[in-house]
Amino acid sequence: MTLSEALASEFPTYRAFFMKPPIPLLEIKELYVNYGGIQALQNIDLTVNAGEVVTLIGANGAGKSTTLRAISRLINPRSGQIVYQGRDITRRPAHEVVQLGIAHSPEGRRVLARQTVLDNLELGAYTRSNLAAVRADLDRQFEIFPRLAERRLQLAGTLSGGEQQMLAIARALMSRPKLLLLDEPSLGLAPAIVLEIFSIIRDLRATGVTILLVEQNAKLALERADRGYILEAGRITLTGQASNLLNDDLVRKAYLG
Amino acid sequence: MAGFLSTYGFLIVSMVMGALLGLSLYLPLMTGQLSLASPGFYALGGYIAAILSTQVFKVSDGLYPIGLVLLEMSIAGVVSGVLGVLVGIPALRLRGIYLAIATIAFVEVLRVLSLNLDITGGAVGIFGIPQPFLTPIEYLWIVIPLLLMSMVLLYRLERIRLGRAFTAIREDELAAGAMGIDPTYYKVLAFTLGAILAGVVGAVSAHFLNTWNARQGTFDASIVYLTSVLIGGTRTFVGPVLGGMVFTALPEVLRAIADTAGLPLWLAQFLRDGRLIIFGLLIVLGTIFFPQGLVTPDLFKRRKDRKSQS
Amino acid sequence: MDITLFVQQFLNGLSIGSIYAIFALGYTLIFSILGIINFAHGALFTLGAYFTYALMGEAFGLNGLLANAALPVKLPFALALILGSALAGLVGVAVERIAFRPLRRKRADSLLTVVSSLGVALVIVNLIQYLVGAENYTFPGNTYGNLPAAINFGTAEKPIPIRTVQVVIFGVSVVILTILTYFINRTKYGKAMKAVAEDPITASLLGINTDGFIVLTFFISSFLAGLAGTLVASSVSIPGPYFGIAFGLKGLAVIVLGGLGSIPGAVLGGVVIGLIEAFVPADYSAYKDAFAFGILFIMLLVRPQGLLGRRFVQKV
Amino acid sequence: MIDENLTTSNPILEAKSLNRTFGGLVAVNNVSFTVNKNEIFGLIGPNGAGKTTLFNMITGLIEPSSGQMFYQGEEISFLRPHLIAKAGIARTFQNIRLFGDLSALENVTIARHIHTKSGFIRGILGLPPAPSEEIRNKQKALELLDLVGLSDRAFEKARNFPYGDQRRLEIARALALEPQVLLLDEPAAGMNPSEKNQLSEFIRELRSQFNLTVILIEHHVPLVMGLCDRIAVLNFGKLIALGDPAQVRTNPAVIEAYLGSD
Amino acid sequence: MKKTAVRTSALFVAFAFLLSACTQTNSGPAPTTTTNPSPTAGSSNAIPIGIALALTSNVALLGQEGVAGAKIAEKYFNDKGGIDGTPIKLVIQDTGGEEAGAINAFQTLITQSQVVGIVGPTLSQQAFSADPIAERAKVPVLGASNTAKGIPEIGDYVARVSAPVAIVAPNSVKAALKINPNIKKVAVFYAQNDAFSKSETGTFQETVKEQGLDVVTVQKFQTTDTDFQTQATNAINLKPDLIIISGLATDGGNLVRQLRELGYKNIIIGGNGFNTSSIFTVCKALCDGVLVAQAYSPDHVNEINKTFRTTYLNQYKKEPPQFSAQAFAAVQVYVEALQALDKKSEISKLPLAQLRTELNKQLLAGKYDTPLGEIAFTPVGDVIQKDFYVAQLKVDKDGNNGKFAFLK
């Protein structure tokens, strides 16, 4: 890692002012993933720049979650490259990727149902050793998600769906990620809570966290994102500024009902 | 050839019986149920034959009539079958490792009972079991037809409605239920067929071994047959047959290899005394490199499909 | 029942149970993390006892490859115990590498892993026999220094003797239970371990090195196996390479009764089976094992998750 | 409560105050509805609303905590899955539960189980009518594969099929039961828009060809609106709307919970 | 197309057969060599004697002791010129602990190694299984450690040098009464999964009753048990004056140790299973004083025992156990019977079948002065042993050196 890269990764301002063009935070090149006998992803090229919110739109089974799972290294690509902050992480083990600053709030929330809310959050900061900073972040999460504060000693499995989703996001934030992968944060949630969660996403963006968002609710996602990619049957069929996609006829027809 | 047969006659018959016991474990496995109960039914069948032939039928001199052996086999089969249903109905609600443990417990309970009851001769067991044949190799007259029958039965089974129901349950019990297949019924059926087969083989085995005691059909035996099935192959009956034979013969083969002239002394020594180490290594390597066993249906299928398509 | 006799049998039950418990602790730990029964646990238990024996500088017998061999060192029991258990732990780690990890990588059926672990058990047991023969070995008489052979929990007229070593084992099981419970429920690494147990995928998303924790689990489990093996051997000698195998089967009953994967369950299950065995009337003592396995069988049918286990719900 | 004035005289499936809880969590909360014969009935709602739980209750995979279910006038609330299948209710699964190691043909042939009568002895010995039954089954299975357009891949392992083909194969398998009622759990998931259109067409064809009643769970709103005769909307386990597409589309509760307000 | 599977499996069967056939041809005519060949063993005309004992499994210890004794005998008699100049040669086959293993070993010895007779197998249960094989093949078998009832009765070709329990056991009870005439209450322990222990305890209990003593409790255990706290305290509570244990060395030794640790102070009698020096490694100093009736004593005074004992001591650095002595005696019976036979008609000229039959007749007829003392056989083949011994275990304080001290 060069000095400028290091500076860029540590100080977003440095990157913003001194480095042009901005190096992408995450770059996926010609990614292919096979699931069993099926080609789940084919020739995916995708870029996420620092500070952006990028969303992936597509039908069930189109490969959105698979893309996130490939980035957080839960699955092995057949070929292609995943480059994060200029380094190739295509073959790194999942837990090292977390240390590099990528957090993944997975599909279906996957909170640790048998542990308390507090334990879940503390495990979110597993990779960090500065206990004081972790404590401060913990308080911050409870500020953002006051419902979690109320239930801090409750087992995560007993939370409602919306609360679990909040816990999943808060837990991901506990690792102080540079890149947050959010998989269907609105899944199964009441509209009011969905809006709440999306306002949190907006707040997060303001703090400089880069977000790659997978969302079923295409409209909401595109409204909140800078850019978007449309996935169909494992391929990227369309990409562009979110506002342009929102107004695209084909997209409207297929995903915005 | 005569020399070969009299040296290895016992082993050859043992191999066939190993194949049969492999099949008895394979039957429940066809529905995806790992049952280690076969040795229990094997032991039960053996006791039935031992008690009948030494205390009930009591043929004084000369060779024991084969007809009576067949009768014992039938009785052993019926009793094992009934017990199989009785144990199977409650036990088969369990899955995976829980079923395996439950059947281990069943075998252990049977073992302790046979060790303590008077009728089973306690620890000494029952000895002086009469012989229907002069030499061990002649037992092939019983076990080969039994094996062929079982193989034909399984060959047919794998191709009809019943076998398809078994396979469906193995692949996905829940989906099978949604297809109108009663999983409980077929699981118990497969378990019971395995029990009957094990019981019948036990009955032959009691005569074959001359004696019967609580050391027959224990947990250790379960492991050997389980290994032979898993490594032989769990997807077609050919696997357990092959596996049962090879794993029964393996200790003796290693023993014979150890006797080969010209081997370094340490190697011969290792082959002789370290047989079980080799056996264990084979188990580990087999499960890692041949998780579906050595014989898979694909071996046969590829050709078959091509033919039926053309 | 006469009260003295009752107390005697109760304490006997606890002491037998503590042996089962100490065996079962490591056994159940693996299940709680990986969801598999490690049949090699009994073999590692045996191995630990042999390691400690060797580290104490005692000589081996004549029937193995290492006939009459003895290490040049003579460690005191406590030190040999720790080192011997640690060696067993390392063997456990090797076992994980060789026999478990490849199967996990292939996402193989957990039953295959069970079979593989049986293969490992067979190898270890027979390797021991090949190397040091089938003889029994006993630790030197002064293993526990000058402690009396038995402690009387009754009066002089109505003695209720319990062997000191049993009391030690009981104490050690309680200490291990406490430490394990504290480690798992109170420390960061324990919680991470629980996370690996509950959902390895989520755990790796939190930056937890799941493979590392699995190795750690195997080390702890095998360390405990070795420790338990040595302690039990100090009570009853090492009767031969098959020593731990009998415990393996009984241990299965113990952990299923307590609840597969439940650590307090292992101790509870051990104590319950110990007590049941102690209270089997003398005339029926021959059926002792049948009781244990009969209870196991019934338990599985009635409450497969065991006394303290959690029920698994299959997702449709 | 929903006004049930649309009930016609021809109900085939009837749910009466169905409830199901999972350890304190109410998955299905007092749901009642009636499905008419030959109807295409849609079930929509956010994830976790209880749609699949409802399917599982209809097909006997889980028992209702309370309430009743009637099929052709007979109670089926506590029947085991295979008996419900036998009675004429077939389904597909959200997460596709094919017999992955078996060929497409075998998958469909297995589902002919209830239409084959020869038992153990006849089957093994190949006595009549077993052989002719076997041949008939195979023909029937091939016909069904042809119907879903998979006959050229009949001998391939199901797990090697692409996603969309697996969904089609699951439908063929369910049809092999010759059901009266077909339950489809997200049949269009993973299909592209043109495939989705084809699927709509196909489901309509099926209905007329086999005289079926179809109940389907689907997220893709245009498909549901275009295909279904009536639609039930679930949210947090409760039935919040029931009616024809036009009624549902304009129902404010539905817009708030599911369709989203603009 | 349907035939494919059948054909393939047939092929596999054939392959499996072939495999065993090949290995047989590989081994060729040269029969199995012992693991410790004696100087003359290489010569082709050596007379093969089969040793079928357990070298593996959980009874390996007993088998290994037997093999040690037999090997000493092989060397001893070959050094003395064998059978009129022709050496004997042991062919050792592992029986494992299973019945099938014993049968396989017997088969191999009989047909492949062409032995004149067999010593073995280790366990009585194995004998019930394997001896009929030898009987049918008309090959003499000498049991060296089979003590259960009914072994010689298996057939004409089956005999044993191991005295059955009924004869040995009572001696130790008498010895105990000699030490303490006030014995009244007796507690009996036995390993219920061991055929031998089970029949031995019967004899013990009869003897106790004959002596007018009172059996206050019978406690059962298993040879695989390790913890005897419950049984031990059960018995100690009844305050017995004598405890009689029938078990094998490891479990029996453990039981002794736990009885002592729990405070039992009176006399303990151990059964025949205690007849091995490995008992000392189990209970160490706590074994001290245990009485054991023996079919063999290292202290027995005769020439052959002196040589045997010295050789064993030199080689293994401990006193020879009973099973070694019995295996030695079994080999000796074969050697001396062969010698006697050779004097009548030259054995090298006899066809093997006839040699085996003649040898069987001859060995039953003879008298032998063995390390066990003088032995002969009943017509059915049971051993008639002149001397029995009662030994008391003597162990020094630190438990490292133990020996069987002779009582007379």
Side-chain angles (χ1 to χ4, degrees), chain E residues 214-263:
Chain E
D214 188 16
V215 177
V216 290
T217 179
V218 177
Q219 297 281 338
K220 301 168 194 170
F221 58 92
Q222 309 232 357
T223 51
T224 48
D225 281 351
T226 45
D227 192 297
F228 303 100
Q229 170 111 3
T230 307
Q231 290 102 321
T233 46
N234 272 340
I236 293 172
N237 275 333
L238 299 165
K239 302 201 166 27
D241 310 307
L242 171 66
I243 287 178
I244 301 177
I245 302 169
S246 293
L248 300 180
T250 306
D251 41 314
N254 235 319
L255 178 53
V256 169
R257 171 176 167 188
Q258 295 181 24
L259 280 168
R260 290 295 190 218
E261 287 184 351
L262 289 167

Side-chain angles (χ1 to χ4, degrees), chain B:
Chain B
M1 193 60 189
F4 170 73
L5 281 185
S6 56
T7 308
Y8 287 106
F10 180 85
L11 182 61
I12 292 166
V13 177
S14 302
M15 283 165 68
V16 177
M17 295 211 281
L20 284 163
L21 288 172
L23 287 180
S24 83
L25 221 70
Y26 170 72
L27 272 159
L29 217 51
M30 284 177 83
T31 62
Q33 310 303 308
L34 178 75
S35 150
L36 296 176
S38 281
F41 294 107
Y42 171 75
L44 180 71
Y47 275 115
I48 289 170
I51 292 165
L52 287 177
S53 63
T54 54
Q55 286 168 35
V56 181
F57 298 147
K58 282 192 192 156
V59 175
S60 49
D61 280 324
L63 288 180
Y64 188 74
I66 295 174
L68 286 182
V69 178
L70 295 178
L71 179 63
E72 290 162 16
M73 286 162 65
S74 322
I75 295 173
V78 171
V79 176
S80 302
V82 171
L83 188 62
V85 173
L86 292 179
V87 173
I89 288 175
L92 289 167
R93 292 185 309 167
L94 300 167
R95 286 160 213 260
I97 192 71
Y98 290 90
L99 176 66
I101 296 172
T103 50
I104 290 172
F106 165 74
V107 172
E108 282 297 299
V109 169
L110 277 191
R111 184 182 68 84
V112 176
L113 285 182
S114 65
L115 205 51
N116 284 289
L117 296 176
D118 284 335
I119 191 163
T120 52
V124 183
I126 296 168
F127 56 91
I129 298 174
Q131 289 301 307
F133 300 112
L134 279 171
T135 57
I137 190 79
E138 288 174 78
Y139 275 91
L140 285 179
W141 290 116
I142 294 181
V143 292
I144 287 281
L146 191 59
L147 178 64
L148 290 179
M149 267 169 56
S150 313
M151 282 170 66
V152 169
L153 189 133
L154 280 159
Y155 176 79
R156 285 289 305 156
L157 193 64
E158 287 177 3
R159 274 151 194 82
I160 58 168
R161 173 179 185 257
L162 197 67
R164 278 197 302 271
F166 284 4
T167 316
I169 294 167
R170 183 191 69 204
E171 291 283 317
D172 188 335
E173 190 175 328
L174 208 128
M179 296 303 118
I181 296 164
D182 181 356
T184 314
Y185 173 79
Y186 288 102
K187 274 155 64 180
V188 173
L189 179 64
F191 180 80
T192 306
L193 286 176
I196 292 173
L197 187 57
V200 170
V201 177
V204 186
S205 197
H207 287 279
F208 184 57
L209 288 180
N210 302 309
T211 180
W212 203 252
N213 52 48
R215 290 146 29 89
Q216 309 305 322
T218 53
F219 175 66
D220 297 357
S222 322
I223 298 319
V224 174
Y225 296 119
L226 175 65
T227 307
S228 67
V229 172
L230 288 177
I231 295 190
T234 53
R235 288 292 189 262
T236 154
F237 69 93
V238 183
V241 169
L242 177 68
M245 289 189 170
V246 168
F247 273 82
T248 313
L250 194 62
E252 296 307 314
V253 170
L254 288 177
R255 188 209 295 262
I257 294 175
D259 289 345
T260 312
L263 277 188
L265 195 64
W266 65 267
L267 186 59
Q269 180 80 24
F270 181 73
L271 286 173
R272 207 174 285 123
D273 297 345
R275 289 200 309 264
L276 292 169
I277 302 176
I278 298 171
F279 205 85
L281 283 175
L282 284 177
I283 293 175
V284 175
L285 296 178
T287 46
I288 292 173
F289 293 109
F290 300 99
Q292 292 220 333
L294 291 167
V295 188
T296 59
D298 292 355
L299 283 182
F300 312 115
K301 231 179 207 168
R302 228 162 276 152
R303 219 165 359 148
K304 186 179 120 184
D305 285 350
R306 214 172 294 139
K307 277 185 189 168
S308 56
Q309 264 176 316
S310 59

